[in-house]
Amino acid sequence: MVQAELLRAAHTARLAGLPRAEAAALRVVRGLRAARERGRGQRLGDLAGAFRELLAGAALLASGTAGPGAAGTARRAYAQGGSLRAYGLCREPVLSATGYGGVSTHLVGPDGSRYTVSDVRPGGLARARGAGSASVALGGAVLDHAGLARGGLRIVGATVSPDGRLGAGRGVSATPLRGVDWSEEPAAALFARPVGEAMAAALGDGVREADVPEAALLGCDVEVVGAAGEYLVARVAGGGPLLRLRPAHPHPELPHAANLRRIAERPGLALRVLGRPDLDRAATLRPLAVGPVPGEPYTLRLPEEWLGRADLGYDRLQGGHFPRGAADPGPAAPPAAVPDPLADAPLWRVRRLLETGVAGGRRAVAEAGRGADAAALLAPLRRAGLGGAARLAAALTAEADRRPRDAFGRLTDASADGYARAWLASAVHLAAAERSLVAASWS
């Protein structure tokens, strides 16, 4: 019944010209189906996040203050970009849970603009592995994706989407260019910006989460500290923060994890890293490519044809790619000492309360706000100075437990609107608080 109502709401949103609301409702339906079928990749946190996006979009539309972007777009519109030059940065394997696979090659323009050339089709893992050396279907270019990642293109009649994807229209023509090293412009600008400043921009201070795009690529120079559990610990050069480097894709058939394990065996190694920051984890970077740091004696030794970088999703690092000997001993924090303000904060109690509402419904939330359970929920939040989270959680449990009566004293069903707004307020506050802690972990 719940899925049927959501599907009807999605259809209504489509008829009303609200593709963003339609997509949010369909994401919730897919999450509910995966939860009922106990799907392998199902996570309760993802379902709670889908509910938050759906309720936030509906509340914004109902408020009458939404801007033109709140409705969304049904199709990606490509605009004319004229003539442009783009230089390859790296390539990234793409593997989706719906059976699609391929590659996405990242490029940068002379003015710092970011572009991508994607080749994603049905085929799964085999398609993702083979697409890294497939030909680039863009304006008759004679490059493959491996060559484009270390080369460049001069494109005439380019078409570009708002998120930087280059289209392959009929009037597009492209000719190869010589690639640039990461130490040359315009690629060098990616590694010159302080990581704290770059993360503050990526997390979108003061912007609704529904409007925050996928995290852009982040470049930095690091020094390897060592392995700690499932991730690699590295310190940003120049006394920066400790970072966790996790595989960009955990599939064992892709070389991300194997390459990071090889790097972790060499503490003190200087690396230039280009990756995508994980916006949901404290100081976590998922590297797509690595290269040597200019001027550092203990750094990677890559072949000349690799043009100073290795794509971790396709290239496999071997013993000859690493320097001989060991790095000079120096003061370094042990891997286990990496601070995690997100895990140390008691916000997980609010997250568990919200997920309880998704999994068990209104009555389950009401039970969590009674007696000793209420004290266990609210007291740690207040002691940690998270008074806003405590007030919103208390309001949510109180609204969940509200049982109005009619004129004859009989219990009646409470309206769902008040409960939905209380759940949404607590969920939005939690997302903002967690993003603030993530941003602080990068400073």
Side-chain angles (χ1 to χ4, degrees), residues 205-406:
D205 295 340
V207 182
R208 289 191 312 107
E209 183 165 341
D211 293 333
V212 177
E214 183 183 13
L217 297 185
L218 175 69
C220 59
D221 294 343
V222 301
E223 180 182 344
V224 175
V225 177
E230 299 178 352
Y231 54 86
L232 164 67
V233 179
R235 180 177 292 281
V236 176
L242 286 172
L243 303 183
R244 299 168 182 82
L245 304 185
R246 292 181 177 270
H249 203 294
H251 199 287
E253 296 296 326
L254 296 175
H256 289 287
N259 284 328
L260 287 184
R261 283 195 298 268
R262 280 188 170 273
I263 294 173
E265 296 171 355
R266 291 164 174 82
L269 182 71
L271 279 180
R272 178 158 285 185
V273 181
L274 182 65
R276 183 172 289 111
D278 191 334
L279 303 184
D280 297 324
R281 297 176 184 265
T284 300
L285 184 67
R286 298 189 180 272
L288 302 179
V290 296
V293 179
E296 290 288 341
Y298 193 69
T299 188
L300 290 176
R301 305 286 190 265
L302 299 180
E304 291 185 6
E305 59 269 20
W306 285 16
L307 201 63
R309 63 261 205 177
D311 296 327
L312 296 181
Y314 289 102
D315 302 323
R316 292 187 179 271
L317 296 175
Q318 307 295 333
H321 297 151
F322 294 93
R324 296 181 180 180
D328 296 332
V338 183
D340 191 344
L342 191 59
D344 296 338
L347 289 171
W348 63 267
R349 300 175 185 273
V350 180
R351 190 183 313 111
R352 185 173 64 180
L353 178 67
L354 296 172
E355 293 176 356
T356 298
V358 173
R362 182 172 188 157
R363 302 311 305 165
V365 175
E367 290 294 333
R370 293 176 182 164
D373 291 337
L377 169 65
L378 301 178
L381 293 171
R382 293 191 178 108
R383 285 198 300 268
L386 300 169
R391 286 192 298 273
L392 291 172
L396 173 59
T397 55
E399 180 61 32
D401 200 29
R402 186 172 63 86
R403 306 185 71 187
R405 297 178 181 269
D406 61 13

Side-chain angles (χ1 to χ4, degrees), residues 147-200:
L148 178 59
R150 295 181 172 94
L153 286 176
R154 178 183 287 109
I155 307 172
V156 178
T159 56
V160 187
S161 72
D163 59 355
R165 297 195 184 191
L166 294 175
R170 182 177 299 177
V172 178
S173 62
T175 55
L177 292 175
R178 183 190 70 85
V180 297
D181 191 87
W182 279 358
S183 58
E184 304 175 39
E185 294 295 343
L190 295 173
F191 305 92
R193 192 177 187 184
V195 293
E197 179 184 331
M199 281 305 300

Side-chain angles (χ1 to χ4, degrees), residues 15-232:
L15 295 178
L18 302 172
R20 173 175 285 186
E22 176 197 1
L26 292 178
R27 279 194 297 270
V28 173
V29 172
R30 287 193 292 267
L32 287 173
R33 287 176 177 172
R36 287 181 62 86
E37 297 168 1
R38 300 183 182 274
R40 202 164 108 191
Q42 186 269 337
R43 291 180 62 249
L44 185 56
D46 294 338
L47 181 56
F51 266 111
R52 182 183 69 246
E53 293 179 13
L54 175 60
L55 292 178
L60 184 64
L61 291 172
S63 68
T65 60
T73 55
R75 299 184 62 183
R76 182 182 293 110
Y78 284 83
Q80 292 296 326
S83 299
L84 58 86
R85 289 178 295 159
Y87 301 95
L89 294 172
C90 65
R91 53 190 166 144
E92 172 187 10
V94 178
L95 184 61
S96 73
T98 55
Y100 283 77
V103 64
S104 180
T105 300
H106 299 271
L107 306 101
V108 62
D111 59 350
S113 302
R114 313 286 180 85
Y115 305 103
T116 56
V117 176
S118 300
D119 182 6
V120 181
R121 303 175 189 174
L125 177 63
R127 180 80 177 82
R129 297 174 64 181
S133 55
S135 298
V136 176
L138 182 66
V142 295
L143 286 175
D144 57 15
H145 281 272
L148 178 59
R150 295 181 172 94
L153 286 176
R154 178 183 287 109
I155 307 172
V156 178
T159 56
V160 187
S161 72
D163 59 355
R165 297 195 184 191
L166 294 175
R170 182 177 299 177
V172 178
S173 62
T175 55
L177 292 175
R178 183 190 70 85
V180 297
D181 191 87
W182 279 358
S183 58
E184 304 175 39
E185 294 295 343
L190 295 173
F191 305 92
R193 192 177 187 184
V195 293
E197 179 184 331
M199 281 305 300
L203 288 166
D205 295 340
V207 182
R208 289 191 312 107
E209 183 165 341
D211 293 333
V212 177
E214 183 183 13
L217 297 185
L218 175 69
C220 59
D221 294 343
V222 301
E223 180 182 344
V224 175
V225 177
E230 299 178 352
Y231 54 86
L232 164 67

